Amino acid sequence: MSTARLEYNGQSWDFPVVEGTENELGVDISELRAKSGLITLDEGYGNTGSCKSAITYIDGDKGILRYRGYPIEQIAEQSSFVESAWLVIYGELPNEKQRERFSALLTKHAMIHESMRNHFQGFPNNAPPMAILSAMINAIGCFSPEVLGSDTEANFEENAARLLSQVRSIAAATYKMSMGQPMMYPRPDFKYCENFLHMMFSVPNGRITPDPDAARALNQFLTLHADHEQNCSTSTVRMVASSGANMYASVSAGVSALWGPLHGGANVAVVNMLEEIRSSGMDPHVYMEKIKDKNSKLKLMGFGHRVYRNFDPRSRILQKAAEVILSKLKIQDPLLEIARRLEEVALRDSYFVDRKLYPNVDFYSGIILRAIGIPLDMFTVMFAIGRMPGWIANYKEIHDAERLKINRPRQIYTGAAIRDFVPRDARVQ
Ligand code: CMC
């Protein structure tokens, strides 16, 4: 086993170097503090491996993404969201029996508890859908106390299927509530994505037949979002799960983490940015100059990534998928053209080239969602539906670990040194 040596103050310590499947290396510093009294400081965790995980592999320099060893390009082309969810959660592609069993569980759990309607009605019509989603995921747990917290394999499967199935029912119900329309019940004869489109766009006196092209595009969108190793929301899920919290509580926290515009909220920010350029008639070059001006504090949304210093492979697939769905549905979206032009400018501009900033998953995904009729304020919810398998799989890794170890980082304290308490009447007013 190779080791790495740390020297400080005339002393030195050796630490084991661990190697992953793809030869990526990490220094195991779990005994650093015990041996040396030191800790590491890595704000934003850019150099910190928080866990060992067997779910997803990313090589950010080469633009590689694999779920359980399978290249994302092959999965996006040949698999479905439900199948890739099984793969991400359980580690292997399902056989026929497993597929049927899982599909049956998804159908069984598609309907949310009838009492949850009251919860929906308690929110104002303009409540942010991500806030509702996070709250409702915790609420589902309350309606399944028999499986909450118990850790048999069958219960895990029930919980996983319930979450995966109901996240889409909650999303659709949230939309219906915002529209003042009755919530639609799921249909057992529809597949996962068709059923979602039905629950979103059918009304009791006008049922839609989900468009197969829209369902296919949605399937691909969700599949491409299924997991992305230790991103902000997944790390949050693992953090919460490490305290022994149940799957619903852990995943609900992940939804909150995803909400931010630097993470899942970026898909909304991209469309707002493209809309702003379109409505102002601004030349994309001019917009880029504004971004490069550090005083503007603007970012090219949908560009850059903590891990990818090359193309995000998902963005290439989504760009093609956006073109396909627009052409199939015979939609002309001016935002696609603006996005293409921004990308062209960025890929030639030294600001972006030097910083290795390329389009990420959010750059083209919004164009697909718009094409299939998803309203802008639901975009991040769509990301959350897609990311559900990854959150569940990461929860499972924590849950199945031989020893549950709470995640508890340390800090370097930079506050005031010890001082005496000042009584109220002696304080500077
Ligand atoms: N536009 C303009 N400049 C950028 C951008 C961007 N999108 N991203 C990074 N930079 C600059 C940044 O200002 C910094 O410049 P300098 O070295 O001069 O200070 C340099 O590039 C390095 O950036 P960083 O902020 O240290 O990079 P990070 O790894 O901390 O952040 C990021 C990654 C994704 C948060 C960031 O690239 C960003 O804010 N992008 C826009 C938001 C976005 O699209 N988020 C979706 C991410 S992918 C999906 C997901 O994870 O949810």
Side-chain angles (χ1 to χ4, degrees), residues 84-111:
S84 30
W86 173 278
L87 169 69
V88 165
I89 295 170
Y90 289 104
E92 296 297 334
L93 288 166
N95 60 31
E96 273 318 294
K97 219 168 123 194
Q98 289 162 333
R99 265 175 75 99
E100 276 168 26
R101 186 183 149 76
F102 198 52
S103 291
L105 273 181
L106 292 176
T107 304
K108 172 180 160 193
H109 289 302
M111 212 161 56

Side-chain angles (χ1 to χ4, degrees), residues 261-264 266 291 294 298-306 309 351-352 355 357 360-362 383:
L262 297 188
H263 192 9
I291 284 170
K294 287 277 171 193
L298 277 178
K299 281 194 168 173
L300 181 57
M301 299 312 285
F303 254 70
H305 199 279
R306 171 60 61 80
R309 300 300 178 190
Y351 176 97
F352 293 91
R355 290 172 176 77
L357 301 171
N360 61 47
V361 68
D362 295 311
F383 192 148

Side-chain angles (χ1 to χ4, degrees), residues 204-386:
N205 59 348
R207 296 186 182 228
I208 62 145
T209 307
D211 184 299
D213 291 323
R216 203 166 303 121
L218 180 58
N219 223 315
Q220 208 170 39
F221 167 92
L222 296 176
T223 303
L224 288 169
H225 284 77
D227 192 44
H228 212 238
E229 55 121 297
Q230 301 314 315
N231 56 82
C232 177
S233 56
T234 302
S235 301
T236 302
V237 171
R238 288 186 83 111
M239 171 70 85
V240 177
S242 80
S243 74
N246 66 68
M247 192 194 292
Y248 300 98
S250 307
V251 165
S252 155
V255 171
S256 298
L258 185 72
W259 193 356
L262 297 188
H263 192 9
N267 58 12
V268 176
V270 170
V271 169
N272 283 333
M273 173 186 79
L274 298 174
E275 268 295 358
E276 186 193 329
I277 298 174
R278 188 196 63 80
S279 60
S280 64
M282 197 188 295
D283 187 306
H285 281 96
V286 176
Y287 192 77
M288 290 304 236
E289 290 308 313
K290 278 173 67 175
I291 284 170
K292 283 162 29 184
D293 174 3
K294 287 277 171 193
N295 295 325
S296 77
K297 299 226 159 65
L298 277 178
K299 281 194 168 173
L300 181 57
M301 299 312 285
F303 254 70
H305 199 279
R306 171 60 61 80
V307 180
Y308 293 117
R309 300 300 178 190
N310 198 324
F311 266 90
D312 176 339
R314 300 168 300 174
S315 78
R316 290 181 192 262
I317 303 170
L318 285 165
Q319 180 183 7
K320 279 204 196 97
E323 283 162 8
V324 169
I325 188 68
L326 289 185
S327 125
K328 291 223 157 136
L329 300 182
K330 299 190 175 41
I331 297 173
Q332 295 244 315
D333 188 342
L335 300 197
L336 178 59
E337 192 43 40
I338 296 173
R340 279 206 206 101
R341 289 193 52 207
L342 284 174
E343 181 181 338
E344 254 174 54
V345 177
L347 296 183
R348 277 197 245 111
D349 190 309
S350 61
Y351 176 97
F352 293 91
V353 174
D354 295 350
R355 290 172 176 77
K356 299 189 173 151
L357 301 171
Y358 293 89
N360 61 47
V361 68
D362 295 311
F363 198 59
Y364 289 103
S365 65
I367 292 169
I368 298 176
L369 295 178
R370 269 160 69 91
I372 58 182
I374 309 292
L376 187 60
D377 67 350
M378 291 286 293
F379 280 17
T380 313
V381 169
M382 301 306 295
F383 192 148
I385 301 176

